[in-house]
Each structure stands twice: as C-alpha cells, then as structure tokens.
C-alpha cells in the first residue's frame, strides 16, 4: 500500500472491458420497445443492435469513457490525485472510439495498456436514462477478444507486479478467465489483495462456472442487492436475506488463508452491508435528495473506485466505505461517470 504517505505509481491495477458509453435520456417506452429494465445491465443481442444508431439519430447523446472496471479505476485515480497511481488493461479496436478511450483515460491519469484488435470495433455501451435511472446494453466488440498473451507481455505483466491491489469486474468473466486466474494466482503468491465485482445479475446466473473458478481467490467481493440475490439463486443458498447471502459468500473456501474474505453489498439508497471477520454491519450512504440526482449510471462503479482509493492508502474498512460513499455521491449528481477536477474528500 502507500508507504510513509507516498502513493506509488501503479499501486492499483484493473482489468475489464473498456467501452465507450453512449448516454442518452429516453422515455420509458423506449425500454419497453426492447424489453429492457431499469437498473439492469445486459449484453446486447442481435435484436438490440438498432439501439446504438437510434440513440445518435433520435436523441441527444454524450460520449463518455466507460466500461465498469475502467470507471472504477478512473474514479480511484481521481481520488488519489497522483498521475499513474493506477493502471488498466483491456481490448479496444483500431478506430477513433478506441483512441478516444485512451485519450480520456490517460488524461484522467490512468496508465492504460490496451490490446488493439485489428478486426473488431471498440465496444460500446448504450446507457439509457429514464427517470434518472440507468439501463445498460453493452456491445462488447473488441473487448470480447482480449487474450492472455497480451497480459503476459513483460511490459504489461510489470503493471500487475507493481500493484498492491488488483481489481477485476465480473463482466470480464465472459471474456478471459485465464487472464483473471493468472492475476489472482499472482496475488496469492505475493500476498496482495485481489478484489472483484459481481457487476450484473446475469454474471452469476449465466456464468456460474467461471465465477466458481475465480471466487476462491477473491479477498474482497463487491455486488449490489440484485447481483447478490442472483448469486444466491445460482448457488442454491435458498435465501434472499442479503446478510445471509454475504455470510454464505464469505464462507466459500479461500486459496489465500492469510486473510478472510470481505463481502460488500450495496443497495442503492439503502445502507451498504459489510461482512468482515464473521460480523455483519450496515453503513448508511451519504444523504442525497431526489432533485440532486442526475443519473445513476456509474454510481456503483464510483463507489468501488472510492473504496479502492482508500484501500491502497492502507486505511481501514470504515474509511474505505466512506470513500465509496463520497465518490458515488459525487458521480450520481453528474451525467455518466464524470467528476470535477479535484475531490474534496476528508478523513473522518
């Protein structure tokens, strides 16, 4: 972690699917047209493909550097305020969208090492905002073609070796389990902190096998209430009680016995549930009025980014949670996962 108050370059490493968010405010009827739900995230099917062109042609759109994992890393970088304190790997296409992603992430201070796919276009995510709540439809494109061989290149693996904390989004389970396991095993061998996010309800529902492969390596697991309930259903826990689900997840055997697993479940406006060392606790979020909310896209990613920013500084879980609350409170008041030039987060 940070030593003597000095933040090392590359202390936090992230890996996921870099996507360009195409964000627009749409009527509820538009979600109905494609069978979409508020506060949900799905992978695009053929029937969803017209969405991306329709948004550009029919609505006012914002283009924002996105992808769940990249959002979290960008927010952590913003909180840390030291250039290249974070690094990030994923796959983009050889096109303007890929160049735009690299410009924005690098401009935010993140050291990015994208694999550039010559054939597939950069992935995009339609962020449909209805009544300030987002529905996400991801067309992975090039992001779906990440290869572990890119991770193994010396200049890229050096990013993993430099990190003290590694973060992977659950979305990456659909792309390269080999890459995730390679990073996870390194964290075990070096006694580093390996963290992961469930990311979407469809991940435990449809990718149970890959999730079961990776969970034994996870030191800190993040998820929201819907994702936790989906995991409970998939793993046969027989309960919708979030505290019990957290207890079940924490009890999954770990490869690294040096530390017990921490489980964190967010609940939107509800309190965050923390399971740590056999104890469940609740942590209310920062107050926010409905009038202050612009849209919820990126709020969960921002929460994780805020948490991780304090974790790499060596702070306790209570302070990490405060960092998550603060970051989400900032991002939810803005369009997409964007932030002001500097944070004003203060230690308790």
């Amino acid at each position: 972690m940070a030593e003597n108050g000095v933040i090392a370059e590359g202390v936090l490493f992230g890996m996921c699917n870099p996507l360009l968010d195409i964000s627009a405010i749409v009527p509820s009827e538009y979600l109905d047209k494609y069978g979409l739900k508020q506060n949900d995230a799905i992978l695009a099917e053929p029937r969803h493909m017209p969405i991306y062109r329709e948004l550009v042609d029919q609505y006012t759109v914002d283009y924002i550097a996105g992808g769940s994992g990249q959002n979290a890393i960008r927010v952590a970088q913003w909180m840390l305020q030291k250039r290249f304190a974070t690094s990030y790997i994923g796959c983009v296409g050889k096109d303007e969208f890929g160049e735009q992603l690299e410009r924005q992430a690098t401009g935010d201070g993140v050291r990015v090492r994208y694999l550039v796919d010559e054939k597939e276009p950069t992935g995009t995510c339609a962020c449909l905002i209805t009544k300030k709540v987002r529905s996400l439809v991801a067309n992975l494109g090039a992001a779906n073609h990440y290869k572990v061989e890119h991770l193994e290149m010396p200049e890229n693996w050096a990013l993993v070796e430099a990190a003290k904390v590694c973060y992977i989004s659950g979305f990456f389970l659909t792309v390269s389990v080999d890459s995730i396991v390679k990073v996870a095993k390194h964290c075990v061998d070096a006694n580093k902190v390996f963290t992961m996010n469930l990311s979407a309800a469809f991940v435990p529902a449809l990718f149970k096998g890959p999730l079961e492969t990776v969970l034994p390596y996870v030191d800190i697991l993040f998820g929201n209430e819907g994702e936790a309930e989906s995991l409970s259903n998939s793993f046969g826990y027989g309960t919708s009680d979030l505290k019990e689900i957290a207890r079940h997840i924490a009890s999954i055997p770990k490869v690294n016995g040096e530390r017990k697993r921490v489980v964190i479940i967010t609940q939107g406006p509800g309190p965050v549930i923390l399971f740590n060392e056999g104890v469940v606790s609740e942590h209310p979020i920062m107050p926010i009025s409905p009038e202050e909310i612009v849209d919820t896209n990126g709020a969960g990613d921002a929460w994780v980014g805020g948490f991780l920013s304090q974790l790499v500084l060596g702070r306790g879980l209570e302070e990490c949670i405060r960092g998550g609350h603060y970051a989400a409170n900032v991002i939810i008041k803005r369009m997409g996962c964007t932030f002001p030039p500097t944070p004003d987060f203060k230690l308790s």
Side-chain angles (χ1 to χ4, degrees), residues 14 16-20 65-66 70 74 88-93 97-106 110-117 122 146 150 153 156 159:
C16 183
N17 303 324
L19 307 174
L20 186 68
Q70 187 164 238
R74 288 175 54 239
Y88 177 82
I89 276 179
C91 186
V92 299
F97 280 178
E99 293 173 2
Q100 186 173 339
L101 280 178
E102 183 165 3
R103 282 195 304 270
Q104 183 159 355
T106 302
V110 180
R111 189 187 302 278
V112 294
R113 292 276 174 75
Y114 294 142
L115 169 62
V116 178
D117 191 291
T122 296
Y146 188 80
H150 178 261
M153 294 171 64
N156 297 331
L159 301 179

Side-chain angles (χ1 to χ4, degrees), residues 19-54:
L19 307 174
L20 186 68
D21 286 351
I22 304 174
S23 182
I25 298 172
V26 300
S28 299
E29 294 76 19
Y30 194 79
L31 298 190
D32 297 337
K33 175 181 176 181
Y34 287 100
L36 303 173
K37 297 183 292 185
Q38 282 190 321
N39 201 30
D40 197 12
I42 66 168
L43 295 177
E45 300 172 14
R47 64 193 177 96
H48 298 122
M49 291 307 173
I51 290 175
Y52 304 94
R53 174 48 56 189
E54 288 175 359

Side-chain angles (χ1 to χ4, degrees), residues 22 26 31 58 74 83 103-104 108 110 120 142-143 216 231 245 283 307 336-337:
I22 304 174
V26 300
L31 298 190
Q58 301 175 21
R74 288 175 54 239
R83 187 166 176 79
R103 282 195 304 270
Q104 183 159 355
D108 289 335
V110 180
E120 298 292 331
L231 187 148
I245 294 171
H283 303 263
F307 180 100
C337 192

